[in-house]
Amino acid sequence: MRDTYLVGAGQSDYGAFPEESYRSLFRTAYEATVESAGGVDADDVDEAYVGTLGVGGRQLGLSGPAVTEHVGLRGVPCTRVENACAASGYAIRQAVMAVRSGMADLVLAGGFEVMTDSSSEATKYWLGVSGETAWERMSGTTFAGVYAQMADAYMREYGVERESLSRVAVKNHANGAKNPQAQLGFTCTVEDAESAPAVSDPLTLYHCCPTSDGAAAVLVASEDAARSFDERIRVAGVGAASDRVGLFQRDTYTGVPASTDAADAAYGAAGVGPADLDFAEVHDCFAIAELLAYEDLGFAERGDGARLVDEGVTDLDGALPVNTSGGLKSKGHPIGATGAGQAVEAWKQLTGDAGERQLDDPKRGLTHNVGGSGGAAVVHVFEREDAPEPRGAGAGRGEVGR
Amino acid sequence: MRDTYLVGAGQSDYGAFPEESYRSLFRTAYEATVESAGGVDADDVDEAYVGTLGVGGRQLGLSGPAVTEHVGLRGVPCTRVENACAASGYAIRQAVMAVRSGMADLVLAGGFEVMTDSSSEATKYWLGVSGETAWERMSGTTFAGVYAQMADAYMREYGVERESLSRVAVKNHANGAKNPQAQLGFTCTVEDAESAPAVSDPLTLYHCCPTSDGAAAVLVASEDAARSFDERIRVAGVGAASDRVGLFQRDTYTGVPASTDAADAAYGAAGVGPADLDFAEVHDCFAIAELLAYEDLGFAERGDGARLVDEGVTDLDGALPVNTSGGLKSKGHPIGATGAGQAVEAWKQLTGDAGERQLDDPKRGLTHNVGGSGGAAVVHVFEREDAPEPRGAGAGRGEVGR
């Protein structure tokens, strides 16, 4: 199996940009990616994968070629990949596969979404049809409603207070405030989060990510192709898994089995465990999702995830910083861009380009991208070539910050 | 690069099935695929790719996992792939890549579409947003309109009469009449086609494929995994290419450059040329598309494609039978299923399971699947293991039937 590397990564700002189109946002992300790679000749790009849910339906078919032609990659095979909010996490996985297959040496993977120009009713429709449509949506349940059920079940089962959810928001806003590309780049307090209007009890406005416009991309290269770039970050492991699309159809309300399965596959492929990670970007579409991710990804035992945020373990200066970018909560969540945007943060941290939120010489990080409420998940482990020998798959499982 | 094989392939009937859902149609295709493979343990399936445009928007996000969970492949990483009408042709290509990458040994690739339960206005919308939306769609141009422009340009440039387009319809209906799974399984005459109502001049109703419900799938295996199956068909070559999405943006109205690029890549990978093929399934969404395909795929020189259908070269008993299944024209065109359905026909012909339309011991065939009016194309070459040594890439280029 051929080794694969990130050789560039970049994104547009996330936010509400009425003057931009999906194409112009993707172009911004592409240009940032090319710049981060120290320049790329379009003729050298063999293949492209583009993730988008297609919110708004403005270019529902062939939106992959529609954006790659716009950035000058005319003729390059381009495939749109979709797994709801995990679309571009899967796009990166396809790029890794393309390189490993020997069918490509340099592959663009990215994603985009334009959400803020639709009415909230329209956005609810476009997001709703990414949930389970036969029962969940028809019963009127939105994604906020699904995650509220998970939050309620988690809080009851483990005796967790809503303040822990609020601390996720506080942490991620604090990080996002150091990220000039974040949509909600302001800080907030536990009191702000607690007193905000309810969206779906127990979740308040501050426990929910915003709707966002944005695009992000990475360049994935074979070992040979990577040699001609200034910087390269190894894709140490990739894992993906699916599950039943509806929360009510799954085995648990207090975990996302697809995340665990994807993480196990990625850890196994990389030969690493949670103890080997210096940071993680996890899918915090709602605050509860970050606490579940701590447990699904093996950072904490079941029911012990809230401790990590309560004790500051996942703060920027904690033992395992999580969502240094601000996460979906503060940086924003343009559906199709999110997975690639997480990899952009991993690239920035590992190449020392994370500005005010830069960690102290991190060597290895993880990204975790979820589709829907857990119908699909994909996990990547990225590492510098000078990363220390890992302690091995399973190392530190459930023990982060202990 | 690991060798890859089809080890099973099957489809639902194509047609209008108000009593079926996208899930039930996909299940039918999956069960037919498993049966053709002589049985498959769901636990042995490592990965899945599902193509759909999502016409009707009933499960717009996560429709991949939504159908794979329904057939019992819970947990298996599943990715939705979309390139408009080439969605499942690309899904098969991703399955081949997954096997070649070493990340999977047995992969399901398929697709589905449900189109007949939407109003024709709604269907026009869902198809329209797979064309170029900024100008083509906004000017009111439908896909029939785009292909009518191609037909008009082709007929003028090469002095071709509309009767040649009608002969494509006559041939494909004759083949479809021998295919019990075809949607329009009746024969027609040149007179029927010529006298039918105009859809977009010069195209009449008989020059256009129907809207269809249906699903199709294949199983792609590594060489090792293929050994445990009764029959296996080698994936000798794969090629894909993109182009600008709008016809008016491309270099020619009388050809589809992405098809030529995809075919060149597939021929090169397989080391074969048109002279090495025993049959082909090509993307005849409109009759003109089949004539252009003859030229884009190198069966005939530019302007000489009409001769192949005029002289019967591509008839079931001709030198190079094309669309033995009935093609999109007669068999039907459930968007996301079409590419996989073409591979199902290749499988049936190469395993001797094509019933009344069975060719005499064919050894090697090609499938050609186009997205939109040529924004994407994908070509596969399939062959039996006892196929004769090919004459080589380029062999017989422009000379079929000479």
Side-chain angles (χ1 to χ4, degrees):
Chain A
M1 212 181 280
R2 307 210 301 173
D3 239 346
T4 45
Y5 294 84
L6 296 187
V7 294
Q11 65 165 82
S12 73
D13 292 350
Y14 287 177
F17 306 116
E19 73 286 9
E20 300 281 350
S21 73
Y22 70 98
R23 278 176 162 144
S24 67
L25 287 167
F26 192 82
R27 184 199 285 267
T28 300
Y30 178 72
E31 288 175 350
T33 302
V34 168
E35 189 184 343
S36 78
V40 175
D41 186 337
D43 290 342
D44 291 337
V45 178
D46 300 316
E47 178 97 24
Y49 294 94
V50 174
T52 184
L53 178 55
V55 170
R58 51 189 73 69
Q59 180 75 50
L60 199 73
L62 291 176
S63 50
V67 295
T68 50
E69 75 174 34
H70 186 68
V71 303
L73 297 178
R74 186 174 174 183
V76 170
C78 178
T79 306
R80 175 182 163 216
V81 164
E82 184 272 315
N83 253 338
C85 311
S88 59
Y90 273 85
I92 295 175
R93 181 168 179 265
Q94 292 312 126
V96 170
M97 262 189 194
V99 169
R100 288 189 178 165
S101 75
M103 291 168 72
D105 285 308
L106 185 61
V107 183
L108 181 72
F112 67 83
E113 211 73 56
V114 174
M115 304 174 72
T116 69
D117 67 350
S118 302
S119 70
S120 62
E121 274 307 304
T123 303
K124 198 162 75 178
Y125 165 75
W126 289 99
L127 298 182
V129 289
S130 302
E132 200 282 333
T133 53
W135 296 96
E136 261 176 9
R137 180 172 168 243
M138 291 307 166
S139 70
T141 311
T142 61
F143 273 112
V146 169
Y147 277 94
Q149 291 174 58
M150 296 164 92
D152 187 59
Y154 182 82
M155 288 161 64
R156 281 169 194 264
E157 187 161 340
Y158 299 116
V160 170
E161 300 295 321
R162 192 168 67 179
E163 282 72 15
S164 294
L165 301 183
S166 297
R167 282 188 199 99
V168 171
V170 171
K171 170 180 74 68
N172 291 351
H173 273 279
N175 293 347
K178 297 176 193 289
N179 184 350
Q181 297 195 293
Q183 179 172 6
L184 304 178
F186 51 82
T187 58
C188 70
T189 64
V190 167
E191 171 60 22
D192 292 333
E194 294 288 311
S195 62
V199 171
S200 185
D201 189 68
L203 304 178
T204 75
L205 187 63
Y206 276 73
H207 302 132
C208 307
C209 69
T211 55
S212 315
D213 306 331
V218 303
L219 276 165
V220 177
S222 65
E223 191 163 8
D224 275 356
R227 286 209 183 87
S228 62
F229 291 89
D230 297 338
E231 302 213 71
R232 54 188 193 177
I233 298 298
R234 192 165 164 269
V235 184
V238 187
S242 298
D243 200 349
R244 301 199 71 177
V245 174
L247 172 62
F248 71 96
Q249 301 166 313
R250 296 204 292 268
D251 292 337
T252 174
Y253 274 49
T254 56
V256 177
S259 293
T260 302
D261 293 347
D264 284 349
Y267 287 144
V272 309
D276 295 309
L277 302 175
D278 296 320
F279 66 91
E281 288 283 303
V282 310
H283 196 90
D284 61 322
C285 48
F286 297 91
I288 180 63
E290 180 160 328
L291 298 188
L292 299 184
Y294 292 167
E295 301 174 14
D296 295 329
L297 302 172
F299 303 166
E301 297 291 351
R302 289 285 161 209
D304 201 35
R307 179 184 56 83
L308 270 57
V309 71
D310 291 343
E311 297 180 358
V313 174
T314 52
D315 284 357
L316 204 54
D317 60 357
L320 181 64
V322 170
N323 286 333
T324 59
S325 70
L328 284 60
K329 177 68 203 79
S330 165
K331 182 187 175 189
H333 183 25
I335 307 286
T338 290
Q342 294 176 320
V344 170
E345 181 68 8
W347 167 269
K348 285 181 188 284
Q349 289 290 352
L350 292 169
T351 60
D353 192 31
E356 270 194 82
R357 64 192 188 283
Q358 179 65 51
L359 301 172
D360 181 20
D361 199 27
K363 304 291 192 189
R364 189 180 283 118
L366 171 151
T367 59
H368 161 250
N369 191 198
V370 174
S373 63
V378 57
V379 170
H380 289 84
V381 176
F382 299 107
E383 65 184 20
R384 294 180 54 92
E385 291 187 275
D386 60 353
E389 192 64 29
R391 286 186 255 173
R397 185 72 60 122
E399 292 173 7
V400 169
R402 287 278 184 207
Chain B
M1 212 181 280
R2 306 210 301 173
D3 239 347
T4 46
Y5 294 84
L6 295 187
V7 294
Q11 66 166 83
S12 73
D13 293 349
Y14 288 177
F17 306 116
E19 72 286 8
E20 300 281 350
S21 74
Y22 70 99
R23 278 177 162 144
S24 67
L25 287 166
F26 192 82
R27 184 200 285 265
T28 300
Y30 178 72
E31 288 174 352
T33 302
V34 167
E35 189 185 342
S36 79
V40 174
D41 185 336
D43 290 342
D44 291 338
V45 179
D46 300 317
E47 179 98 23
Y49 294 94
V50 173
T52 183
L53 178 56
V55 169
R58 51 189 73 68
Q59 180 77 48
L60 199 73
L62 292 176
S63 49
V67 294
T68 51
E69 75 175 33
H70 186 67
V71 303
L73 297 178
R74 185 173 174 184
V76 171
C78 178
T79 306
R80 176 183 162 215
V81 164
E82 183 273 316
N83 253 338
C85 312
S88 59
Y90 273 85
I92 295 174
R93 182 169 178 266
Q94 292 312 126
V96 171
M97 261 189 194
V99 169
R100 288 188 178 167
S101 75
M103 290 168 74
D105 285 307
L106 186 60
V107 183
L108 180 73
F112 67 83
E113 211 73 57
V114 174
M115 303 173 73
T116 69
D117 66 350
S118 303
S119 70
S120 63
E121 274 306 304
T123 303
K124 198 163 77 178
Y125 164 75
W126 288 99
L127 297 181
V129 289
S130 301
E132 200 283 330
T133 54
W135 296 95
E136 263 176 6
R137 179 170 170 244
M138 291 307 165
S139 70
T141 311
T142 61
F143 272 113
V146 169
Y147 278 93
Q149 291 174 58
M150 296 164 92
D152 188 60
Y154 182 82
M155 289 160 65
R156 283 171 193 263
E157 188 161 339
Y158 298 116
V160 170
E161 299 296 319
R162 194 169 64 177
E163 281 72 15
S164 295
L165 300 183
S166 298
R167 284 188 197 98
V168 171
V170 171
K171 170 181 71 69
N172 291 350
H173 273 279
N175 293 347
K178 299 176 193 288
N179 184 351
Q181 298 196 291
Q183 178 172 9
L184 304 178
F186 51 82
T187 59
C188 71
T189 65
V190 168
E191 172 59 23
D192 291 334
E194 292 289 310
S195 63
V199 171
S200 184
D201 188 68
L203 303 178
T204 74
L205 186 63
Y206 276 73
H207 302 133
C208 307
C209 70
T211 54
S212 315
D213 307 330
V218 303
L219 276 165
V220 177
S222 64
E223 192 163 8
D224 276 356
R227 286 209 183 87
S228 62
F229 291 90
D230 296 339
E231 302 214 70
R232 54 187 194 178
I233 298 298
R234 191 164 164 269
V235 184
V238 187
S242 299
D243 200 349
R244 301 199 70 177
V245 174
L247 172 62
F248 70 96
Q249 299 165 315
R250 297 205 292 268
D251 292 337
T252 173
Y253 275 47
T254 56
V256 176
S259 293
T260 303
D261 293 346
D264 285 348
Y267 287 144
V272 309
D276 296 308
L277 301 175
D278 296 321
F279 66 92
E281 288 284 302
V282 310
H283 196 92
D284 62 322
C285 48
F286 298 91
I288 180 63
E290 179 160 329
L291 298 188
L292 299 183
Y294 292 167
E295 302 174 13
D296 295 329
L297 302 173
F299 303 166
E301 296 291 351
R302 288 285 160 208
D304 201 34
R307 178 184 58 82
L308 269 58
V309 71
D310 291 343
E311 297 180 358
V313 174
T314 52
D315 282 359
L316 204 53
D317 60 357
L320 182 64
V322 171
N323 285 334
T324 58
S325 71
L328 284 60
K329 177 67 202 80
S330 166
K331 181 187 175 190
H333 183 25
I335 307 286
T338 289
Q342 293 175 320
V344 170
E345 181 67 8
W347 167 268
K348 286 182 187 284
Q349 289 290 352
L350 292 169
T351 60
D353 192 31
E356 272 194 81
R357 64 191 188 282
Q358 179 65 52
L359 301 172
D360 180 20
D361 199 27
K363 304 292 191 186
R364 190 180 281 119
L366 171 151
T367 59
H368 160 249
N369 191 199
V370 175
S373 63
V378 57
V379 171
H380 288 84
V381 176
F382 300 106
E383 65 185 19
R384 293 180 55 90
E385 290 187 275
D386 60 353
E389 192 64 27
R391 286 186 254 172
R397 185 71 62 120
E399 290 172 10
V400 170
R402 288 278 185 208

